[in-house]
Amino acid sequence: MEKKRPPEDREPKPGGVHAGHRARLRKRFLTTGLDSFEDHEVLELLLCYAIPRRDVNRTAHLLLDRFGTLAGVLDAPAEDLMTVPGIGASTAHFLNLVPRLITQMARQCRQAVPFYMRDRDDVSRYLEQRLRVPLAPGQILLVLTDRANRI
């Protein structure tokens, strides 16, 4: 017999106030990156991929209440994460995976051959590869290079 979920954890009703919320979060991320997101919204976006077909807003807030910050949530042991209602083993391990991916990516970036910039087109290509999102109007980005034009 299927266990009944509390009303706040059930799927949003079609046409309800939360309908399309996940799609809006994803679109906003693709458009602006994470700069315009609050910590609970970043967690919501992550939880959307880990917990299908359920409103994860409350879960994101519970995680922040328990662990204080986004970093606190992502650094928490899986066992501690699973004490939060709505977080099972799979979701806890997914959240634990995020900082490990970031660490591995940073390690690989440090080992990569330096990117040399010869002109504005090189700067443009570099930013497109690294940011993968357009800059917001009025946003300024600074790219620093050494004397050999390495970033």
Side-chain angles (χ1 to χ4, degrees):
M1 186 164 151
E2 185 179 328
K3 182 180 171 185
K4 286 199 171 199
R5 294 185 299 212
E8 65 272 6
D9 284 347
R10 292 192 187 128
E11 291 179 49
K13 291 180 181 150
V17 68
H18 298 293
H21 180 63
R22 288 171 179 244
R24 287 190 299 275
L25 272 177
R26 289 181 185 122
K27 181 179 181 183
R28 187 167 142 214
F29 167 69
L30 292 173
T31 305
T32 67
L34 292 177
D35 290 340
S36 68
F37 280 62
E38 299 290 330
D39 281 358
H40 76 277
E41 294 170 316
V42 173
L43 274 174
E44 272 189 89
L45 183 62
L46 284 172
L47 292 172
C48 284
Y49 293 101
I51 305 172
R53 298 176 303 278
R54 200 175 87 208
D55 181 4
V56 293
N57 180 279
R58 179 173 177 267
T59 306
H61 283 282
L62 289 172
L63 285 165
L64 286 172
D65 289 347
R66 170 85 160 80
F67 300 104
T69 64
L70 178 61
V73 171
L74 297 176
D75 285 336
E79 298 78 28
D80 292 348
L81 290 168
M82 289 187 289
T83 65
V84 174
I87 301 295
S90 180
T91 302
H93 295 134
F94 176 79
L95 293 173
N96 282 173
L97 177 64
V98 173
R100 288 164 179 81
L101 287 171
I102 293 167
T103 301
Q104 185 166 341
M105 183 178 171
R107 190 177 314 117
Q108 289 176 0
C109 286
R110 282 192 305 270
Q111 295 169 351
V113 177
F115 188 93
Y116 293 92
M117 303 223 187
R118 294 176 300 273
D119 55 31
R120 291 173 62 164
D121 291 335
D122 284 348
V123 173
S124 226
R125 275 190 296 280
Y126 173 79
L127 294 175
E128 286 173 11
Q129 291 170 3
R130 286 297 191 195
L131 297 178
R132 292 194 175 102
V133 293
L135 293 177
Q139 188 175 10
I140 297 172
L141 206 82
L142 178 65
V143 177
L144 301 174
T145 62
D146 63 14
R147 289 181 185 192
N149 287 333
R150 291 180 302 231
I151 294 177

